Amino acid sequence: MYAFFEGKIVKEEDAKISIKTNSFHYGTAVFEGIRAYYNKDEDQLYLLFGKEHYDRLLKNCKILNIKLPYTSDKLVEITLELLRKCNWKQDVYIRPIVYFKDLTISPKLVGYTPEIAIYTIPLGDYIDTSKGVKCIVSSFHRINDNMIPARAKVCGAYVNSAFAKTEALMRGADEAIMLNPNGNVAEGSAENIFIVRDGILITPPPSDNILEGITRKAIIKIAQEDLGIKVIERSINRSELYIADEVFLCGTGAQVSPVIEIDGRKIGDGTPGPITKSIQNFYFDAVRGKIKKYKNSWLVPVYEK
Ligand code: PMP
């Protein structure tokens, strides 16, 4: 397979960094997770929200004072070229990472040289999307904005996610929901969260220490414009999780994943709820190019026809 490394597409085995690489030691790197979906009937691979992901990556570079010499349009172009070179005919995940390549010690965000690498891998479900997942509320709080900004998708911040996810797995659950330092619901270890109460969709605002998810934004749009579901962005208490009619997690990796249990309490009747299922069905159709309205705005065909 191939990767984009140090300015060009190379064989994946040649895309290697030194053990001295500065960001490898301090986690001072930012990354993205992007999906491309294969449509079998059209024999076409669709890059989903490519521009949106690279716009976010560049904003996150700004937070970390990283001056990357690429535009988001150029990074989309490179990604399309890489996907074509890999000739994928299945659903894939694309992982761009921006890091400081300097072979020196000291954790700082000035005076270093940024580099971007991109690789792609086949990816089906990241977490279950059909039966539903069991969650715990993690004893690890989501990092606060003035510690490491959750919106910035910083590599080092994923130690926080790893603690929470590990706690979930060790307690026999599938995924962790993290509270922010104020005790309100923030997000999953790698997903945003929505709850349904009395037919209304509720999700925490960006100021509650969440990643400003691209899937989250798409789901708000689908709910409001296509399914006629009211959406409210407001803080969510932990106890609301237990009494919600439905809960689901969403993200590029997670897609739309129903939550059927939290801290041993059944959510609704313990099966994926109707609003979750209707959003999920619509989302899955949209990402494979089956919804005309979103085909041209959300997707870019990888292969020329
Ligand atoms: N929160 C966290 C912590 C994540 O890692 C992700 C995955 N990128 C998300 C939310 C979902 O974001 P998106 O929909 O942009 O993938």
Side-chain angles (χ1 to χ4, degrees), residues 226-299:
D226 304 295
L227 303 176
I229 301 165
K230 189 172 172 193
V231 184
I232 303 176
E233 287 181 63
R234 66 151 173 86
S235 296
I236 295 173
N237 294 145
R238 177 181 190 160
S239 56
E240 284 189 280
L241 295 175
Y242 302 151
I243 58 168
D245 303 319
E246 300 180 34
V247 177
F248 66 86
L249 299 172
C250 73
T252 303
Q255 305 171 107
V256 178
S257 178
V259 176
I260 53 166
E261 190 185 297
I262 301 176
D263 287 344
R265 279 98 166 156
K266 265 188 193 167
I267 303 304
D269 66 0
T271 62
I275 291 183
T276 304
K277 281 199 278 192
S278 65
I279 290 172
Q280 189 189 54
N281 287 337
F282 196 98
Y283 180 78
F284 279 140
D285 281 346
V287 298
R288 275 182 218 283
K290 294 179 185 167
I291 308 277
K292 213 171 158 204
K293 177 179 170 191
Y294 294 121
K295 196 167 179 174
N296 295 329
S297 52
W298 290 6
L299 305 169

Side-chain angles (χ1 to χ4, degrees), residues 2-10 34 45 47 50-51 54 57-58 68-88 94-98 115-120 300-302:
Y2 298 89
F4 182 76
F5 183 65
E6 299 189 334
K8 49 184 190 295
I9 293 175
V10 298
I34 314 173
L45 186 67
L47 178 66
K51 170 95 172 124
Y54 285 116
L57 183 76
L58 293 181
L68 193 70
Y70 290 96
T71 62
S72 54
D73 287 333
K74 183 67 192 168
L75 291 168
V76 170
E77 201 184 302
I78 290 167
T79 302
L80 292 170
E81 198 186 326
L82 178 62
L83 289 168
R84 281 196 282 269
K85 183 92 177 163
C86 296
N87 199 28
W88 293 116
I94 301 134
R95 170 54 60 84
I97 180 164
V98 178
E115 190 59 80
I116 179 164
I118 309 171
Y119 74 85
T120 67
V300 178
V302 171

Side-chain angles (χ1 to χ4, degrees), residues 136-153:
I136 57 150
V137 173
S138 176
S139 62
F140 289 94
H141 282 172
R142 192 79 182 118
I143 36 176
N144 205 9
D145 191 67
N146 59 1
M147 297 170 182
I148 304 174
R151 68 161 52 71
K153 220 165 161 56

Side-chain angles (χ1 to χ4, degrees), residues 15-290:
K16 293 204 175 107
I17 60 163
S18 161
I19 57 164
K20 289 183 178 174
T21 305
N22 183 272
S23 291
F24 173 57
H25 294 260
Y26 305 114
T28 47
V30 291
F31 69 101
E32 270 303 321
I34 314 173
R35 271 188 188 262
Y37 285 92
Y38 184 60
N39 182 319
K40 223 177 178 172
D41 301 333
E42 296 178 30
D43 187 28
Q44 180 62 274
L45 186 67
Y46 285 107
L47 178 66
L48 175 67
F49 294 129
K51 170 95 172 124
E52 288 80 355
H53 281 280
Y54 285 116
D55 281 345
R56 182 170 70 185
L57 183 76
L58 293 181
K59 280 188 191 138
N60 293 343
C61 284
K62 194 169 182 188
I63 293 174
L64 265 73
N65 197 38
I66 298 172
K67 294 171 184 77
L68 193 70
Y70 290 96
T71 62
S72 54
D73 287 333
K74 183 67 192 168
L75 291 168
V76 170
E77 201 184 302
I78 290 167
T79 302
L80 292 170
E81 198 186 326
L82 178 62
L83 289 168
R84 281 196 282 269
K85 183 92 177 163
C86 296
N87 199 28
W88 293 116
K89 304 270 170 163
Q90 56 185 306
D91 295 350
V92 293
Y93 184 75
I94 301 134
R95 170 54 60 84
I97 180 164
V98 178
Y99 59 97
F100 292 123
K101 66 196 286 188
D102 306 72
L103 309 181
T104 51
I105 56 169
S106 179
K108 59 186 174 84
L109 302 170
V110 287
Y112 289 149
T113 311
E115 190 59 80
I116 179 164
I118 309 171
Y119 74 85
T120 67
I121 45 159
L123 187 69
D125 273 0
Y126 170 73
I127 50 174
D128 178 85
T129 56
S130 52
K131 304 188 308 288
V133 293
K134 293 183 180 176
C135 292
I136 57 150
V137 173
S138 176
S139 62
F140 289 94
H141 282 172
R142 192 79 182 118
I143 36 176
N144 205 9
D145 191 67
N146 59 1
M147 297 170 182
I148 304 174
R151 68 161 52 71
K153 220 165 161 56
V154 180
C155 290
Y158 279 78
V159 175
N160 181 235
S161 291
F163 274 130
K165 177 85 180 186
T166 304
E167 185 181 13
L169 297 175
M170 285 176 153
R171 282 169 51 187
D174 305 297
E175 191 48 271
I177 297 167
M178 282 188 280
L179 307 178
N180 63 26
N182 296 333
N184 288 322
V185 174
E187 59 183 342
S189 72
E191 309 87 12
N192 290 118
I193 189 167
F194 283 85
I195 68 171
V196 178
R197 294 193 68 185
D198 300 325
I200 296 171
L201 210 50
I202 308 166
T203 194
S207 53
D208 270 355
N209 293 339
I210 62 165
L211 182 76
E212 294 182 9
I214 290 165
T215 317
R216 173 185 178 278
K217 197 170 168 188
I219 282 169
I220 292 174
K221 193 174 166 75
I222 290 173
Q224 289 176 329
E225 289 184 19
D226 304 295
L227 303 176
I229 301 165
K230 189 172 172 193
V231 184
I232 303 176
E233 287 181 63
R234 66 151 173 86
S235 296
I236 295 173
N237 294 145
R238 177 181 190 160
S239 56
E240 284 189 280
L241 295 175
Y242 302 151
I243 58 168
D245 303 319
E246 300 180 34
V247 177
F248 66 86
L249 299 172
C250 73
T252 303
Q255 305 171 107
V256 178
S257 178
V259 176
I260 53 166
E261 190 185 297
I262 301 176
D263 287 344
R265 279 98 166 156
K266 265 188 193 167
I267 303 304
D269 66 0
T271 62
I275 291 183
T276 304
K277 281 199 278 192
S278 65
I279 290 172
Q280 189 189 54
N281 287 337
F282 196 98
Y283 180 78
F284 279 140
D285 281 346
V287 298
R288 275 182 218 283
K290 294 179 185 167

